Amino acid sequence: MGATKTDNFTQNQNELATFAKALGHPARVAIIEYLMNSDKCITGEIVDIIPLAQATVSQHMKELKQAGLIKGNVEGNAVCYCIDCEKWEEFKKMLNNIFEKLDKPVCC
Amino acid sequence: MGATKTDNFTQNQNELATFAKALGHPARVAIIEYLMNSDKCITGEIVDIIPLAQATVSQHMKELKQAGLIKGNVEGNAVCYCIDCEKWEEFKKMLNNIFEKLDKPVCC
DNA sequence: TTGCTTTATTGCAATATTACGATATAGATT
DNA sequence: AATCTATATCGTAATATTGCAATAAAGCAA
Protein backbone atom coordinates (compact mmCIF):
# COMPACT_ATOMS: atom_id res chain seq x y z
CA MET A 1 0.00 0.00 0.00
CA GLY A 2 2.16 2.88 1.22
CA ALA A 3 -0.53 4.78 3.11
CA THR A 4 -0.50 4.62 6.88
CA LYS A 5 -3.61 3.15 8.49
CA THR A 6 -4.24 5.93 10.96
CA ASP A 7 -7.79 4.80 11.68
CA ASN A 8 -6.54 1.90 13.71
CA PHE A 9 -4.76 4.01 16.28
CA THR A 10 -5.65 6.55 18.94
CA GLN A 11 -5.57 10.25 18.27
CA ASN A 12 -2.70 10.54 20.70
CA GLN A 13 -0.67 7.91 18.94
CA ASN A 14 -1.29 9.55 15.60
CA GLU A 15 -0.40 12.98 16.87
CA LEU A 16 2.82 11.83 18.48
CA ALA A 17 3.72 9.96 15.31
CA THR A 18 3.09 13.10 13.26
CA PHE A 19 5.40 15.17 15.44
CA ALA A 20 8.08 12.48 15.44
CA LYS A 21 7.83 11.98 11.72
CA ALA A 22 8.29 15.70 11.13
CA LEU A 23 11.48 15.54 13.16
CA GLY A 24 12.54 12.40 11.34
CA HIS A 25 14.87 14.04 8.86
CA PRO A 26 18.28 15.54 9.65
CA ALA A 27 17.53 18.71 7.68
CA ARG A 28 14.42 19.27 9.73
CA VAL A 29 16.32 18.58 12.94
CA ALA A 30 18.85 21.18 11.84
CA ILE A 31 16.11 23.68 11.03
CA ILE A 32 14.47 23.18 14.42
CA GLU A 33 17.82 23.48 16.22
CA TYR A 34 18.51 26.69 14.37
CA LEU A 35 15.11 28.15 15.17
CA MET A 36 15.41 27.11 18.80
CA ASN A 37 18.79 28.76 19.15
CA SER A 38 17.91 32.05 17.52
CA ASP A 39 16.26 34.66 19.66
CA LYS A 40 14.52 36.15 16.68
CA CYS A 41 12.34 34.73 13.99
CA ILE A 42 14.23 33.64 10.95
CA THR A 43 13.57 33.88 7.25
CA GLY A 44 15.81 33.04 4.37
CA GLU A 45 18.84 32.47 6.57
CA ILE A 46 17.75 28.88 6.79
CA VAL A 47 18.40 28.37 3.11
CA ASP A 48 21.98 29.54 3.69
CA ILE A 49 22.43 27.23 6.67
CA ILE A 50 20.97 24.04 5.25
CA PRO A 51 23.06 22.50 2.46
CA LEU A 52 20.13 21.73 0.23
CA ALA A 53 18.48 23.54 -2.65
CA GLN A 54 16.04 26.33 -1.89
CA ALA A 55 13.11 24.34 -3.21
CA THR A 56 13.99 21.43 -0.96
CA VAL A 57 14.34 23.63 2.12
CA SER A 58 10.99 25.23 1.36
CA GLN A 59 9.46 21.77 1.22
CA HIS A 60 10.92 20.84 4.60
CA MET A 61 9.58 24.06 6.07
CA LYS A 62 6.18 23.18 4.72
CA GLU A 63 6.25 19.79 6.38
CA LEU A 64 7.29 21.26 9.71
CA LYS A 65 4.49 23.78 9.39
CA GLN A 66 1.94 21.11 8.50
CA ALA A 67 2.97 19.03 11.49
CA GLY A 68 2.49 22.16 13.59
CA LEU A 69 6.04 22.41 14.87
CA ILE A 70 6.69 25.83 13.34
CA LYS A 71 4.68 28.89 12.41
CA GLY A 72 5.27 31.22 9.47
CA ASN A 73 4.22 34.86 9.35
CA VAL A 74 4.51 36.75 6.12
CA GLU A 75 6.46 39.91 6.78
CA GLY A 76 6.67 42.11 3.75
CA ASN A 77 8.87 40.44 1.25
CA ALA A 78 10.00 37.59 3.44
CA VAL A 79 8.48 35.01 5.76
CA CYS A 80 9.23 34.95 9.46
CA TYR A 81 9.38 31.38 10.66
CA CYS A 82 9.43 30.44 14.29
CA ILE A 83 8.88 27.61 16.74
CA ASP A 84 5.28 26.93 17.72
CA CYS A 85 5.92 26.73 21.44
CA GLU A 86 2.48 25.43 22.35
CA LYS A 87 2.81 22.50 20.01
CA TRP A 88 6.27 21.79 21.30
CA GLU A 89 4.98 21.74 24.85
CA GLU A 90 2.40 19.23 23.74
CA PHE A 91 5.08 17.16 22.02
CA LYS A 92 7.23 17.35 25.16
CA LYS A 93 4.37 16.21 27.35
CA MET A 94 3.62 13.23 25.12
CA LEU A 95 7.22 12.16 25.11
CA ASN A 96 7.58 12.61 28.84
CA ASN A 97 4.70 10.21 29.31
CA ILE A 98 6.84 7.66 27.55
CA PHE A 99 10.16 8.62 29.13
CA GLU A 100 8.63 8.28 32.59
CA LYS A 101 8.46 4.55 32.15
CA LEU A 102 12.21 4.35 31.74
CA ASP A 103 12.67 4.90 35.45
CA LYS A 104 10.97 1.62 36.25
CA PRO A 105 13.36 -1.01 37.63
CA VAL A 106 12.46 -3.65 35.07
CA CYS A 107 14.41 -2.84 31.95
CA CYS A 108 15.77 -5.93 30.28
CA MET B 1 15.79 11.30 -5.56
CA GLY B 2 14.12 9.86 -2.51
CA ALA B 3 17.31 9.19 -0.55
CA THR B 4 18.12 11.44 2.38
CA LYS B 5 21.43 13.32 2.12
CA THR B 6 22.81 12.35 5.51
CA ASP B 7 26.34 13.43 4.61
CA ASN B 8 25.39 17.06 4.91
CA PHE B 9 24.40 16.87 8.55
CA THR B 10 26.07 16.18 11.87
CA GLN B 11 26.10 12.74 13.42
CA ASN B 12 23.91 14.07 16.18
CA GLN B 13 21.34 15.41 13.79
CA ASN B 14 21.27 12.16 11.88
CA GLU B 15 20.94 10.09 15.02
CA LEU B 16 18.11 12.18 16.42
CA ALA B 17 16.38 12.03 13.05
CA THR B 18 16.74 8.25 13.00
CA PHE B 19 15.14 7.91 16.43
CA ALA B 20 12.35 10.33 15.57
CA LYS B 21 11.70 8.68 12.25
CA ALA B 22 11.38 5.29 13.93
CA LEU B 23 8.75 6.76 16.23
CA GLY B 24 7.07 8.43 13.27
CA HIS B 25 4.37 5.85 12.74
CA PRO B 26 1.35 5.29 15.00
CA ALA B 27 1.85 1.51 15.00
CA ARG B 28 5.39 1.96 16.24
CA VAL B 29 4.25 4.46 18.86
CA ALA B 30 1.72 1.86 20.01
CA ILE B 31 4.37 -0.85 20.12
CA ILE B 32 6.70 1.32 22.17
CA GLU B 33 3.91 2.29 24.55
CA TYR B 34 3.04 -1.34 25.01
CA LEU B 35 6.62 -2.35 25.67
CA MET B 36 7.09 0.55 28.07
CA ASN B 37 4.02 -0.41 30.04
CA SER B 38 4.76 -4.11 30.36
CA ASP B 39 7.07 -5.20 33.13
CA LYS B 40 8.19 -8.20 31.14
CA CYS B 41 9.56 -8.61 27.68
CA ILE B 42 6.94 -9.31 25.11
CA THR B 43 6.76 -11.52 22.07
CA GLY B 44 3.81 -12.31 19.90
CA GLU B 45 1.36 -10.40 22.03
CA ILE B 46 2.19 -7.37 19.98
CA VAL B 47 0.68 -8.96 16.92
CA ASP B 48 -2.57 -9.35 18.87
CA ILE B 49 -2.48 -5.76 20.07
CA ILE B 50 -1.65 -4.02 16.82
CA PRO B 51 -4.44 -4.11 14.23
CA LEU B 52 -2.17 -4.92 11.34
CA ALA B 53 -1.10 -8.14 9.66
CA GLN B 54 1.64 -10.20 11.27
CA ALA B 55 4.04 -9.51 8.43
CA THR B 56 3.49 -5.78 8.79
CA VAL B 57 4.03 -5.86 12.54
CA SER B 58 7.23 -7.84 12.05
CA GLN B 59 8.41 -5.18 9.64
CA HIS B 60 7.71 -2.42 12.16
CA MET B 61 9.60 -4.36 14.84
CA LYS B 62 12.53 -4.61 12.46
CA GLU B 63 12.56 -0.87 11.93
CA LEU B 64 12.45 -0.17 15.64
CA LYS B 65 15.30 -2.63 16.12
CA GLN B 66 17.35 -1.08 13.34
CA ALA B 67 16.88 2.37 14.83
CA GLY B 68 18.07 0.89 18.14
CA LEU B 69 14.94 1.64 20.13
CA ILE B 70 14.21 -2.00 20.96
CA LYS B 71 16.18 -5.20 21.43
CA GLY B 72 15.09 -8.70 20.51
CA ASN B 73 16.37 -11.85 22.18
CA VAL B 74 15.50 -15.21 20.72
CA GLU B 75 13.99 -17.29 23.46
CA GLY B 76 13.23 -20.79 22.35
CA ASN B 77 10.43 -20.65 19.92
CA ALA B 78 9.62 -17.00 20.30
CA VAL B 79 11.43 -13.68 20.36
CA CYS B 80 11.55 -11.53 23.46
CA TYR B 81 11.40 -7.89 22.48
CA CYS B 82 12.11 -5.12 24.89
CA ILE B 83 13.00 -1.46 25.15
CA ASP B 84 16.67 -0.60 24.72
CA CYS B 85 16.90 1.67 27.73
CA GLU B 86 20.34 3.03 26.96
CA LYS B 87 19.26 4.19 23.53
CA TRP B 88 16.14 5.72 24.98
CA GLU B 89 18.22 7.64 27.50
CA GLU B 90 20.28 8.93 24.61
CA PHE B 91 17.12 9.88 22.72
CA LYS B 92 15.79 11.59 25.83
CA LYS B 93 18.98 13.56 26.29
CA MET B 94 18.98 14.73 22.69
CA LEU B 95 15.40 15.89 22.91
CA ASN B 96 15.96 17.60 26.23
CA ASN B 97 18.70 19.63 24.61
CA ILE B 98 16.04 20.94 22.28
CA PHE B 99 13.25 21.23 24.84
CA GLU B 100 15.50 23.32 27.06
CA LYS B 101 15.30 26.16 24.62
CA LEU B 102 11.56 26.36 25.03
CA ASP B 103 12.01 28.00 28.43
CA LYS B 104 13.66 31.02 26.88
CA PRO B 105 11.51 34.13 27.05
CA VAL B 106 11.60 34.85 23.34
CA CYS B 107 9.08 32.60 21.74
CA CYS B 108 7.16 34.40 19.02
C1' DT C 1 7.22 50.34 -14.92
C1' DT C 2 11.26 47.37 -14.63
C1' DG C 3 13.89 44.65 -12.26
C1' DC C 4 15.44 42.49 -7.73
C1' DT C 5 14.67 39.56 -3.71
C1' DT C 6 12.35 36.08 -1.29
C1' DT C 7 9.57 32.23 -0.99
C1' DA C 8 6.32 28.84 -2.98
C1' DT C 9 4.90 25.73 -6.47
C1' DT C 10 5.27 22.63 -10.37
C1' DG C 11 7.09 18.77 -12.76
C1' DC C 12 9.91 15.17 -12.66
C1' DA C 13 12.94 11.14 -11.30
C1' DA C 14 14.75 8.14 -7.83
C1' DT C 15 14.06 5.86 -3.81
C1' DA C 16 11.57 4.63 0.55
C1' DT C 17 7.61 3.27 3.15
C1' DT C 18 3.48 0.80 4.17
C1' DA C 19 0.76 -3.18 3.87
C1' DC C 20 -0.44 -7.87 2.97
C1' DG C 21 -0.60 -12.78 1.37
C1' DA C 22 2.26 -16.48 0.75
C1' DT C 23 6.02 -18.87 2.08
C1' DA C 24 10.17 -20.07 4.72
C1' DT C 25 12.51 -21.06 9.04
C1' DA C 26 13.28 -22.69 13.57
C1' DG C 27 12.10 -24.38 17.84
C1' DA C 28 8.44 -26.91 20.48
C1' DT C 29 5.10 -30.61 20.91
C1' DT C 30 2.99 -34.85 20.04
C1' DA D 1 8.98 -38.05 12.10
C1' DA D 2 4.95 -35.12 11.68
C1' DT D 3 2.88 -31.15 13.25
C1' DC D 4 2.10 -26.92 15.53
C1' DT D 5 3.55 -22.15 16.87
C1' DA D 6 6.03 -17.99 16.41
C1' DT D 7 8.69 -14.91 13.47
C1' DA D 8 10.90 -13.56 9.53
C1' DT D 9 11.32 -12.93 4.71
C1' DC D 10 9.82 -12.55 -0.16
C1' DG D 11 7.18 -10.66 -3.71
C1' DT D 12 4.20 -7.31 -5.03
C1' DA D 13 1.33 -3.12 -5.29
C1' DA D 14 0.14 1.42 -3.82
C1' DT D 15 1.61 5.53 -2.07
C1' DA D 16 4.97 8.82 0.12
C1' DT D 17 9.32 11.12 0.49
C1' DT D 18 13.39 13.40 -1.04
C1' DG D 19 15.67 16.38 -4.10
C1' DC D 20 16.32 19.62 -7.74
C1' DA D 21 15.75 22.75 -11.80
C1' DA D 22 12.58 25.70 -13.62
C1' DT D 23 9.07 28.69 -12.99
C1' DA D 24 5.58 31.46 -10.59
C1' DA D 25 4.06 34.87 -7.24
C1' DA D 26 4.40 38.78 -4.29
C1' DG D 27 6.48 42.54 -2.28
C1' DC D 28 10.39 45.98 -2.53
C1' DA D 29 13.65 49.23 -4.79
C1' DA D 30 15.22 51.97 -8.51
Side-chain angles (χ1 to χ4, degrees):
Chain A
M1 302 269 148
T4 299
K5 283 191 153 185
T6 54
D7 304 353
N8 293 328
F9 303 96
T10 69
Q11 201 189 323
N12 237 274
Q13 287 164 343
N14 279 310
E15 203 168 350
L16 178 49
T18 298
F19 287 148
K21 192 176 182 182
L23 206 61
H25 189 289
R28 295 195 289 267
V29 170
I31 291 167
I32 292 297
E33 282 177 354
Y34 190 73
L35 277 174
M36 285 283 183
N37 281 318
S38 61
D39 53 344
K40 286 212 306 180
C41 292
I42 301 298
T43 58
E45 303 164 37
I46 293 166
V47 175
D48 298 332
I49 299 298
I50 305 293
L52 293 171
Q54 183 266 324
T56 308
V57 171
S58 181
Q59 211 173 284
H60 283 305
M61 300 306 277
K62 192 181 178 184
E63 274 171 75
L64 286 169
K65 203 164 42 175
Q66 276 173 346
L69 293 180
I70 65 174
K71 290 185 288 187
N73 303 49
V74 177
E75 209 151 279
N77 206 8
V79 178
C80 168
Y81 279 112
C82 56
I83 295 295
D84 187 330
C85 292
E86 285 182 30
K87 284 292 175 70
W88 273 90
E89 287 294 346
E90 208 183 316
F91 189 15
K92 189 179 173 180
K93 222 170 277 178
M94 285 179 169
L95 284 167
N96 280 340
N97 280 339
I98 290 179
F99 288 145
E100 258 178 11
K101 311 288 169 55
L102 286 176
D103 302 329
K104 290 201 311 181
V106 187
C107 211
C108 71
Chain B
M1 304 269 147
T4 299
K5 283 190 154 186
T6 54
D7 303 354
N8 293 329
F9 303 97
T10 69
Q11 202 190 323
N12 237 272
Q13 286 164 343
N14 280 309
E15 203 167 351
L16 178 48
T18 298
F19 287 148
K21 192 176 182 182
L23 207 61
H25 189 291
R28 295 196 288 268
V29 169
I31 291 167
I32 292 297
E33 282 176 354
Y34 190 72
L35 278 175
M36 285 282 182
N37 281 318
S38 61
D39 53 346
K40 286 212 306 178
C41 292
I42 301 300
T43 59
E45 305 165 36
I46 293 167
V47 175
D48 298 332
I49 299 299
I50 305 294
L52 293 171
Q54 182 267 323
T56 309
V57 171
S58 181
Q59 211 172 284
H60 283 306
M61 300 305 277
K62 191 181 178 184
E63 274 171 76
L64 285 169
K65 204 164 42 175
Q66 278 175 344
L69 293 180
I70 65 174
K71 291 185 289 188
N73 303 49
V74 177
E75 210 151 279
N77 207 6
V79 178
C80 168
Y81 278 112
C82 56
I83 296 294
D84 188 329
C85 293
E86 284 181 30
K87 283 293 176 70
W88 273 90
E89 287 295 346
E90 208 183 316
F91 189 17
K92 188 179 174 181
K93 221 170 280 178
M94 284 178 171
L95 283 167
N96 280 341
N97 279 341
I98 290 179
F99 289 144
E100 256 178 14
K101 310 288 168 54
L102 286 175
D103 302 329
K104 290 202 312 182
V106 188
C107 210
C108 71

